Structures are given as structure tokens and as C-alpha cells.
Amino acid sequence: MNSCSDAYHYRVIARAIDLIERSGGNQMRLDALAAAMGMSASHFQRVFSQWAGISPKRYQQFIVLDRAKSLLRENETMLGAANSLGMSSSSRLYDLFIRWEAMTPGEFAQNGFGLTIRHAWLDSPFGDMLALCTERGICGLAFAAECGRDSAFRNMASRWPKAGFVEDRAFACSWIDAVLNQRGDTRLLLSGTPFQIKVWEALLSIPEGRVATYSEIARSTGNERASRAAGSAVGRNPVSWLIPCHRVIRKSGSLGGYEWGLAVKKSILAWESARRASG
């Protein structure tokens, strides 16, 4: 991608993923998918492969094979091997290195008072994405494919009830370009309780294409019995995708919940597993 406004491929793939999801686990033929996108089979194959790193057929296999359960069987979590900061070479998203800082307890208690949050709706690999940014970093990412834009914005704005919100696409793009172009470094600004920050730090140590359970997340915070509280903190993660709450599933192998819809969570997991397998 040349910029975060160059989102043609994202829109095409978002529509294709929706069709694949609605197929109910049945493999869709390449020509049928391409026709639904208004493209030739060869062009669609090329566009999809550029996005996912694999063919549409192979991608569908990651969706229908219940990848989450197989990842658990393979014991693919690496929380125990993460370093004390929760950051390592394995916690990179694409070639993106995530740097983060947490608001101080005083700043957190002020509920965003005096803070200006600039926001914009951008295209992403998983549909409409709301990006919220400050001078100190990205403070929120949300997806609207299932809940809609209004609901997603209200959800995110409620986390900073005393902040000022300004629509500013250029400012948001200056922070999000590294994410959408899959290169460079980015910085996050997190607002949460000390326990929530610990949970989000643990999420950052789960490598792409792998998963952890809620109990493992709780154990990593030093309180193995706090699975329910850890699950709540996972759900309050303000920077979805970059802080990978989608990589947390139930011990049974079921996906559990996801703030922005299970279809989005399933697509992200399949996309990451596909990229890991192709790399």
C-alpha cells in the first residue's frame, strides 16, 4: 500500500471474507468468488494473495478447519517464554514493532480531561476501522463491520469521557500508516487500571499466529485464579489488533467473545495463521 487512503484491496478482501464466512464452511470456487467481486479469476487470485500471502482456497482451509482448536492442540502459546517486559522478537506484528506507554494513575483518574483525541475512519483488512490517536501515540482501534460505526465510536469515546474528540484523517493516517503498510515502528498510549495494563502487556507477548487461554493470561499476571477478571480486561483492550486480544480463546478451544464480533475475530486469526504458515 502507498498510504492508508490506498485501500482498494482492503475493501475487496473484506467483501470476499464476508462471502467466505457466509458460505457456512463450504469451500467457494475461485471463479465464483472472483465473479462476486466483479473481477477475473486471475486478478482476484493476485489481489487476495497479495493481502493474505496465500491463495483464497488455502485461506478458506484455515477458516473451516477450526484453527483455534488445532493451535491449542499444538501448544502454540509462548507466554511462559516472554521476557519480563512482555516484548520480544516474536511479538512483532508483520515487521511492526510496538512501543507503548501507560498513562499515569493521575492521568487515568482524570478520564481524559484536557486530552485531545483525533480520530478517523479508515479501511483495514477487516473492514471499517476507527483509529483514535493523540500526540503521544495510538490510543484506540475498533472495527465496525458487525456493530456499525456509531456503536463503535460510542464504545471508544466512553473510555475517555472528559476528552475532546476531533475528526482529523491526516493526523490519524500519520500514526496508522506504519500499521496499514506493515512496516516501521508505532507507539501506543494505554489508559487502564494497573491490572488491565498487566493483561494487555501479556497480550503483546503472544506471537502472531498463536493463541493463549484466559487462564494463561491470568497466570502471567501472577494471579492464576483471576481468569474472569483477566477476561474482562482482555475485553476492555482499547487497541484491538495491535494489542492482540483476538489471540485469547477458551480452554475448550472455542473462540469466546470479541468486542467487535466473532466473525472479525475468526477472520483475524485465520489471516494470521495463514501468514505464519506461508512465511
Side-chain angles (χ1 to χ4, degrees):
M1 319 297 163
N2 295 323
S3 72
C4 63
S5 62
D6 183 12
Y8 167 70
H9 288 181
Y10 288 163
R11 289 194 295 271
V12 171
I13 298 309
R15 290 165 53 208
I17 288 173
D18 182 60
L19 279 177
I20 292 170
E21 275 290 327
R22 288 192 280 114
S23 70
N26 297 314
Q27 288 274 316
M28 293 189 67
R29 290 170 53 89
L30 175 63
D31 54 0
L33 271 172
M37 299 300 105
M39 303 166 70
S40 69
S42 60
H43 186 202
F44 175 72
Q45 173 101 349
R46 183 166 60 253
V47 169
F48 195 102
S49 297
Q50 287 174 349
W51 175 82
I54 58 172
S55 69
K57 179 178 180 180
R58 183 70 172 137
Y59 180 84
Q60 290 183 78
Q61 291 172 351
F62 278 100
I63 290 180
V64 302
L65 286 176
D66 196 356
R67 189 61 180 161
K69 288 185 179 179
S70 66
L71 284 172
L72 272 185
R73 286 195 297 270
E74 295 164 12
N75 192 28
E76 290 285 16
T77 181
M78 286 184 63
L79 278 177
N83 64 30
S84 59
L85 292 178
M87 301 295 292
S88 68
S89 59
S90 63
S91 63
R92 295 171 70 92
L93 175 64
Y94 326 121
D95 291 324
L96 188 75
F97 191 79
I98 298 172
R99 306 177 189 278
W100 63 274
E101 65 172 294
M103 286 186 170
T104 65
E107 290 174 320
F108 176 70
Q110 292 181 53
N111 292 315
F113 178 77
L115 184 68
T116 297
I117 297 177
R118 302 182 185 277
H119 62 89
W121 284 101
L122 308 171
D123 290 291
S124 82
F126 313 105
D128 278 353
M129 180 178 72
L130 175 64
L132 298 94
C133 310
T134 74
E135 297 289 347
R136 291 161 64 182
I138 300 168
C139 63
L141 285 182
F143 297 99
E146 290 199 28
C147 65
R149 286 188 171 192
D150 289 345
S151 178
F153 183 82
R154 285 195 302 270
N155 183 318
M156 298 305 296
S158 69
R159 303 170 190 234
W160 296 273
K162 295 183 180 179
F165 291 86
V166 178
E167 187 171 2
D168 190 336
R169 183 179 179 86
F171 185 85
C173 282
S174 70
W175 282 104
I176 301 296
D177 261 343
V179 177
L180 296 184
N181 287 307
Q182 305 177 13
R183 64 171 180 267
D185 293 355
T186 196
R187 192 162 73 244
L188 309 181
L189 176 64
L190 305 183
S191 175
T193 66
F195 180 76
Q196 287 173 332
I197 295 295
K198 280 186 178 181
V199 169
W200 301 339
E201 185 178 15
L203 295 179
L204 282 167
S205 69
I206 307 173
E208 184 179 32
R210 302 187 183 186
V211 296
T213 63
Y214 292 99
S215 59
E216 287 174 317
I217 294 293
R219 190 181 307 121
S220 73
T221 68
N223 190 349
E224 188 172 356
R225 297 182 178 180
S227 293
R228 183 170 295 182
S232 178
V234 168
R236 290 296 294 173
N237 164 30
V239 191
S240 296
W241 190 23
L242 293 184
I243 299 178
C245 51
H246 57 273
R247 297 178 193 160
V248 185
I249 63 177
R250 291 175 178 162
K251 190 177 296 185
S252 65
S254 64
L255 292 183
Y258 189 60
E259 189 75 21
W260 314 115
L262 283 179
V264 175
K265 181 174 185 175
K266 191 173 185 179
S267 293
I268 296 175
L269 284 171
W271 183 78
E272 290 186 342
S273 293
R275 291 179 68 85
R276 179 170 176 251
S278 65

